[in-house]
Amino acid sequence: MSIQERLSSLGITLPPLAVPAAAYTPFVYTGKLVFISGHIAKRDGKPWVGQLGLDMDTEQGKAAARAVAIDLMGTLQAAVGDLARVRRIVKVLSLVNSTPTYTEQHLVTNGCSELLGQIFGAEVGTHARSAFGVAQLPLGACVEIELIAEVA
């Protein structure tokens, strides 16, 4: 099954490349690597605001991280033209807006990691990863994730 077929079977339509909200570029392509800038979680086109451990639980955070993965794949597709060119998702870095006592950032980030694995398969989609709890994110977003991919 192709990547596009997997996306379709899950009812996922990738968004177009978003215009940056600040002084940065959505991606940088160098050699065989594409560095995708951090994407914040969005719901209904607006920042998905919340703090894990305060007004959001782990399952809601996981859904937000999954939404970020969809946006990241949209940017990756814009960067490389065809997701079939992706040889490896190299690294995911996840920032989770959370209270000082919240300790399930890794489970929230699974929302992104699991979807990448579903779409790209284990060999390409399995990646190195970091998940951090932070005091706040831009616009009050609950999750922000960046990605590095190797392409052909």
Side-chain angles (χ1 to χ4, degrees):
M1 186 181 294
S2 74
I3 291 172
Q4 289 304 322
E5 289 170 336
R6 286 185 198 129
L7 289 167
S8 292
S9 73
L10 294 169
I12 295 172
T13 301
L14 297 181
L17 183 64
V19 176
Y24 66 93
T25 185
F27 61 87
V28 171
Y29 204 133
T30 181
K32 292 184 176 186
L33 297 177
V34 179
F35 292 76
I36 307 294
S37 293
H39 285 47
I40 62 169
K42 293 181 184 168
R43 185 171 44 181
D44 301 324
K46 297 178 183 167
W48 193 330
V49 175
Q51 188 173 50
L52 280 291
L54 179 65
D55 54 8
M56 289 183 74
D57 64 24
T58 299
E59 285 306 309
Q60 292 169 312
K62 189 174 178 180
R66 184 182 188 280
V68 175
I70 293 168
D71 287 347
L72 286 166
M73 285 188 286
T75 300
L76 184 56
Q77 181 170 274
V80 304
D82 182 355
L83 291 178
R85 292 187 55 214
V86 175
R87 294 293 165 249
R88 187 73 191 249
I89 302 298
V90 177
K91 172 97 189 236
V92 165
L93 186 139
S94 175
L95 305 171
V96 180
N97 182 350
S98 49
T99 64
T101 58
Y102 185 80
T103 60
E104 295 186 342
Q105 292 84 359
H106 61 296
L107 299 177
V108 167
T109 305
N110 281 348
C112 175
S113 295
E114 290 169 0
L115 184 60
L116 292 172
Q118 261 186 302
I119 299 302
F120 291 102
E123 188 174 316
V124 175
T126 302
H127 50 269
R129 184 179 96 174
S130 298
F132 298 96
V134 296
Q136 194 53 267
L137 288 169
L139 306 174
C142 56
V143 178
E144 179 174 354
I145 303 174
E146 64 180 50
L147 179 146
I148 302 168
E150 178 187 7
V151 296

